[in-house]
Amino acid sequence: MSSTVLCYDRPAERWFDALPIGNGRLGGMVYGGVDAESVRLSESTAWSGAPSATDVSPTALGALPAVRRLLFEGRPAEAQRLAEEHLLGRPTTFGTNLPLPRLRLDFGGGAFRGYRRRLDLDDGLVLVEYEQDGVHHAREVLASHPHGVITLRLTADRPGAVGFTAGLEDSVFPGEVTTTASGVAFIGRAVESLHSDGNQGAAVEIRVRIEAEGGTLRRDAHTVTVTGADAAVVWVAVGTDWAGDDPAGRAERLIAAAAEAGYDVVRGAHVEDHRRLMGRVSIDLGEPVDLPTDVRRERLARGERDDDLIALYFQYGRYLTIAGSREGSPLPLALQGVWNDGLASTSGWSDDFHLDINTQQNYWAAEPANLAECHTPLVRFLQRLAEHGRDTAKGMYGADGWVAHTVTNAWGYTAPGAGMGWGLNVTGGAWLALQLWEHYEYQPDEAFLREEAYPVLRDAALFLLSYLTHHPVHGWLVAGPSDSPENWYLAPDGTQCSIAMGNTADRVFAEAILRICGQAATILGLDPDLRERVAAARERLSPFLIGRHGQLQEWLDDAEEAVPAHRHTSHLCALFPERQITPRRTPELARAAEVVLERRQRAPGWEQTEWVEANFAAFYARLLDGDKALTHLTKLIGDASEANLLSYSVGGIAGAEQNIYSFDGNAGGTAAIAEMLLQSDGEEVELLPALPSAWRDGSVRGLRARGGFTVAVAWRDGRLHQARIDCDKAARTRVRYGDAVIDVACHPEEGLMLEEHHFKG
């Protein structure tokens, strides 16, 4: 079915034409060429940089009271200057993930016909076929999670017709390419001087082994040539010393084990492992369209409907999550997942972990799209981040608990960023920690809550209890000095400022962490004194405020935005992913949130980029407006995703000189589609909450809802036809369809079947 296959009628010419494969650690972009095959390699731990104990400004703690005082006195420009001097982080070995050399197989030129290239999302296989000189050539490429390797199998329908020269080339960091008895090797170190000191970084080793069936294998100093083979298999493995591993030993062990098992066994294990996750969810939004995927995307961008392409995009986000984040992955999905185009790592951003929406958005699809296991690397990452963040909390704020700011790296960086306007996001770590609670909500497990989630959440709450400050006029507890990522406001004298006290985003995440800590402690029967403290602090948090334009205020004061078209709407996190604002419980605030969205889009030069479109689609889904959500999904695919459907940050925005791949749009788009079809808050499961009027008939199977429920929904002529709810264990919940709500009991032995008439009693 086209909703699970990306297909093309020509080879890739650019990175944004190539097809992604990954095993949760090792990634590849497969070009599928005829003259030459290129697989652009990347690996999640191939990081420049190193841990550092000098990232926090030594004068920060001493300057903090003065910055707060100036802000409370209405002197933000002075506070801004003092904060820039004393509060910003001072990274020297922060680093970035770096792309690896590419694997290149040269075949020689010649005319060809009947070309087909496809990525099968169900099986996790890239397939390339064409006819050249009367010979049918086929190539299959996969990234195996069970065996930890990338492998290519090349075949032809004429004996002796397989031949190529293999090498590794185009390294962006120092290294040496050599040949071995059966392949090619690369030995290098991931160092660079833009984001680090040019000296420190992970040692990286790549091993390529070639097994030819028949023919001959000849090697020179840097390449290996296969001639006259009936078929060939190319194995690729990578090792680094990021966590103290032996990089050569790891690569060689993986290659040896995979080769010993053989291609058929490795392929079979890969397909079985991949299908176990991918096959949990199916979606049908419309009739398949028999055209190449790039043509379909172009047609959608021109305004032609293709609902099945939206279904494909949904499943693609799930595929990429599986390919990029697995239970054994050493690191979670970075800004570019496990695929590195070399552009983010050479820009001012760094291919790192952004904590002011991007890393969170990378995992928005994990739970609702039935990929809970893929959340695991982020859980471990948060635990390490909390360990490092204790020193920052104490050294910079004199506070208990832990803190992390806007960006972090493979080494656990928790200090502020190095620039004003984005670096002083004090609740970035708290926002990310909400993913732990989300993981628990979707599949309640007290052992997980007690042993893994609660220690991190408790210490995040302890930081906030230490950090929140009494407002001298209103008496509220407010956070600050901090940014509302990554926006700026106009001070009364017209000065552009970023830091303030009492930003709405900080209020949202403070309320969320304190609430969740109290709930978790109650469930576990722990920390009664702490429960009282967080309850009392929640009562004193500042309220949401509506400004002069009818908008939800981003700052405690009703300041004008310095950049009205800014891409970030951090204060709307109260609407999504949080539910502190909802259309039914807080309609006035929901309308104020919608005003923010309207004003942003009307502003000249609105910074419409990939994660923004995904975010807006999710916002409108929470506002129960499926048509507007669909508009932004369509723009995400048509205007902010490329020929291979990978989302990108638009050139000209946020310092990007050209379009740069970012994983977040793909995952965020999948999450938004799930949110349009099913929502849950732990008390209610809502069916088809934001169904667009264009989606007249369709179905989805396997979505997850909070409380341990799995849901299938079908609709006809725009109305609920049938729903089935299964549960992990016996439970009661409320099910909503439109304005009607019914109480139901669910038992794991038998699914609960519901139809529209059940909601008319």
Side-chain angles (χ1 to χ4, degrees):
M1 293 182 62
S2 62
S3 58
T4 56
V5 175
L6 281 72
C7 62
Y8 302 85
D9 58 7
R10 60 182 183 272
E13 297 180 356
R14 313 168 300 145
W15 199 91
F16 274 126
D17 296 328
L19 294 173
I21 57 173
N23 64 14
R25 176 172 184 154
L26 177 60
M29 296 295 294
V30 182
Y31 281 61
V34 174
D35 294 346
E37 173 64 278
S38 289
V39 182
R40 294 279 181 178
L41 300 173
S42 50
E43 203 266 4
S44 66
T45 66
W47 266 76
S48 64
S52 173
T54 61
D55 299 323
V56 172
S57 167
T59 59
L61 183 58
L64 189 63
V67 177
R68 283 176 172 161
R69 176 177 54 79
L70 289 169
L71 289 170
F72 282 138
E73 291 175 356
R75 299 156 65 186
E78 295 175 61
Q80 186 91 4
R81 288 191 291 272
L82 194 63
E84 186 169 13
E85 181 180 356
H86 294 286
L87 301 188
L88 292 177
R90 305 184 178 191
T92 56
T93 59
F94 184 88
T96 179
N97 183 258
L98 289 171
L100 302 182
R102 67 168 170 165
L103 171 68
R104 180 180 172 98
L105 308 181
D106 281 299
F107 305 113
F112 62 93
R113 64 179 185 176
Y115 183 91
R116 292 193 306 163
R117 176 169 58 100
R118 52 188 273 157
L119 169 59
D120 186 327
L121 303 182
D122 287 334
D123 291 340
L125 300 171
V126 170
L127 307 169
V128 179
E129 293 181 281
Y130 56 90
E131 186 175 309
Q132 189 175 44
D133 297 330
V135 179
H136 181 265
H137 292 268
R139 194 178 314 148
E140 191 171 71
V141 192
L142 62 89
S144 166
H145 175 249
H147 286 88
V149 297
I150 284 175
T151 184
L152 302 82
R153 178 166 169 79
L154 301 91
T155 59
D157 67 354
R158 180 186 297 171
V162 173
F164 55 87
T165 297
L168 291 165
E169 59 185 29
D170 295 342
S171 178
V172 302
F173 54 82
E176 180 184 6
V177 177
T178 60
T179 54
T180 64
S182 58
V184 185
F186 173 85
I187 303 171
R189 185 168 293 277
V191 297
E192 49 78 43
S193 56
L194 178 62
H195 304 290
S196 187
D197 61 3
N199 298 312
Q200 300 185 80
V204 178
E205 303 223 5
I206 305 173
R207 295 291 184 273
V208 178
R209 178 184 290 190
I210 299 167
E211 296 180 333
E213 298 176 19
T216 61
L217 188 150
R218 185 184 75 255
R219 63 191 180 101
D220 60 23
H222 303 293
T223 62
V224 171
T225 299
V226 172
T227 306
D230 299 333
V233 176
V234 180
W235 306 97
V236 184
V238 176
T240 79
D241 68 351
W242 171 75
D245 288 343
D246 170 14
R250 172 182 167 80
E252 289 168 358
R253 284 194 307 273
L254 290 171
I255 284 273
E260 182 179 359
Y263 181 78
D264 289 342
V265 170
V266 170
R267 183 190 189 279
H270 160 73
V271 170
E272 180 181 4
D273 172 72
H274 181 79
R275 284 180 177 173
R276 177 177 59 87
L277 298 175
M278 194 69 201
R280 291 174 180 172
V281 178
S282 64
I283 186 169
D284 176 8
L285 297 180
E287 289 296 319
V289 176
D290 188 18
L291 287 171
T293 303
D294 52 339
V295 175
R296 296 175 67 188
R297 191 206 64 80
E298 291 167 2
R299 283 161 44 109
L300 188 76
R302 293 196 301 264
E304 299 183 41
R305 276 187 60 187
D306 189 342
D307 296 329
D308 184 65
L309 184 62
I310 295 173
L312 176 62
Y313 201 84
F314 170 85
Q315 291 287 43
Y316 194 43
R318 296 185 66 248
Y319 166 85
L320 293 169
T321 300
I322 295 167
S325 185
R326 298 299 298 270
E327 290 174 90
S329 298
L331 289 168
L333 293 156
L335 188 68
Q336 299 194 304
V338 296
W339 303 275
N340 192 320
D341 63 8
L343 297 178
S345 56
T346 54
S347 74
W349 304 348
S350 170
D351 183 9
D352 58 9
F353 306 96
H354 287 38
L355 305 186
D356 58 357
I357 191 170
N358 310 89
T359 303
Q360 292 88 338
Q361 197 170 42
N362 285 354
Y363 283 92
W364 281 355
E367 300 296 338
N370 211 337
L371 298 173
E373 298 94 329
C374 296
H375 231 149
T376 306
L378 187 65
V379 173
R380 292 194 300 268
F381 185 74
L382 271 160
Q383 292 165 341
R384 294 195 300 268
L385 198 64
E387 292 176 11
H388 291 282
R390 291 186 181 93
D391 291 339
T392 300
K394 185 63 68 177
M396 182 167 180
Y397 300 107
D400 298 328
W402 70 276
V403 66
H405 293 79
T406 313
V407 291
T408 188
N409 60 11
W411 321 105
Y413 181 94
T414 56
M420 296 300 291
W422 61 271
L424 289 169
N425 169 31
V426 179
T427 52
W431 184 357
L432 191 65
L434 299 185
Q435 298 293 138
L436 296 171
W437 182 247
E438 176 159 310
H439 185 66
Y440 169 76
E441 281 190 301
Y442 274 89
Q443 43 188 6
D445 177 353
E446 285 197 18
F448 166 78
L449 185 62
R450 182 185 302 274
E451 297 163 16
E452 300 189 63
Y454 182 67
V456 177
L457 294 166
R458 178 196 61 218
D459 285 2
L462 288 174
F463 170 77
L464 289 164
L465 291 171
S466 298
Y467 174 75
L468 290 168
T469 304
H470 174 84
H471 193 289
V473 176
H474 301 293
W476 301 323
L477 285 178
V478 296
S482 61
D483 295 318
S484 178
E486 300 177 14
N487 210 355
W488 294 69
Y489 64 92
L490 294 177
D493 64 358
T495 305
Q496 291 193 14
C497 297
S498 61
I499 64 164
M501 299 296 297
N503 297 332
T504 300
D506 289 337
R507 186 261 184 225
V508 170
F509 299 122
E511 202 286 331
I513 288 292
L514 295 174
R515 179 188 75 244
I516 288 166
C517 177
Q519 286 180 264
T522 300
I523 292 167
L524 298 172
L526 298 174
D527 298 330
D529 292 343
L530 180 59
R531 280 184 255 165
E532 292 182 9
R533 290 178 64 197
V534 298
R538 286 179 65 201
E539 291 292 324
R540 295 182 58 200
L541 291 175
S542 57
F544 292 114
L545 300 172
I546 298 176
R548 73 191 81 172
H549 303 293
Q551 88 284 7
L552 183 72
Q553 288 183 199
E554 188 164 0
W555 299 277
L556 205 58
D557 295 325
D558 188 10
E560 290 288 359
E561 294 172 312
V563 187
H566 203 275
R567 61 199 175 279
H568 278 268
T569 51
S570 302
H571 50 318
L572 296 193
C573 292
L575 177 67
F576 184 95
E578 274 289 288
R579 289 180 172 272
Q580 296 174 31
I581 294 176
T582 71
R584 294 191 180 98
R585 290 198 299 266
T586 59
E588 291 185 4
L589 291 173
R591 176 56 194 151
E594 192 167 11
V595 169
V596 173
L597 300 176
E598 293 167 354
R599 284 173 54 81
R600 282 287 203 277
Q601 294 172 81
R602 287 198 304 264
W606 176 48
E607 296 178 338
Q608 172 198 6
T609 192
E610 88 297 343
W611 66 261
V612 173
E613 293 291 15
N615 204 14
F616 274 44
F619 285 149
Y620 279 115
R622 283 285 173 89
L623 290 168
L624 310 179
D625 192 331
D627 288 343
K628 289 182 179 176
L630 179 57
T631 294
H632 289 282
L633 275 174
T634 302
K635 290 179 179 178
L636 168 63
I637 301 170
D639 299 341
S641 299
E642 263 280 8
N644 57 10
L645 298 188
L646 290 181
S647 61
Y648 61 84
S649 186
V650 181
I653 294 177
E657 295 182 2
Q658 58 188 300
N659 296 347
I660 298 178
Y661 164 58
S662 292
F663 181 90
D664 44 26
N666 290 112
T670 295
I673 295 168
E675 200 73 17
M676 293 161 71
L677 300 176
L678 184 73
Q679 293 184 24
S680 61
D681 61 7
E683 296 179 357
E684 281 187 4
V685 175
E686 183 167 5
L687 307 175
L688 306 178
L691 185 69
S693 57
W695 295 355
R696 303 304 299 169
D697 302 295
S699 64
V700 65
R701 173 192 58 82
L703 294 181
R704 292 282 288 177
R706 290 172 174 83
F709 300 101
T710 304
V711 181
V713 187
W715 60 95
R716 301 288 182 270
D717 198 25
R719 301 194 62 81
L720 174 66
H721 173 64
Q722 191 175 71
R724 178 185 172 105
I725 300 177
D726 291 285
C727 53
D728 298 343
K729 58 185 178 182
R732 298 192 65 87
T733 190
R734 297 196 302 270
V735 181
R736 175 184 288 274
Y737 175 59
D739 293 329
V741 181
I742 59 175
D743 291 301
V744 300
C746 187
H747 301 280
E749 296 81 13
E750 55 186 39
L752 176 67
M753 301 298 296
L754 297 171
E755 297 180 0
E756 186 179 8
H757 68 82
H758 289 106
F759 296 91
K760 294 181 177 179

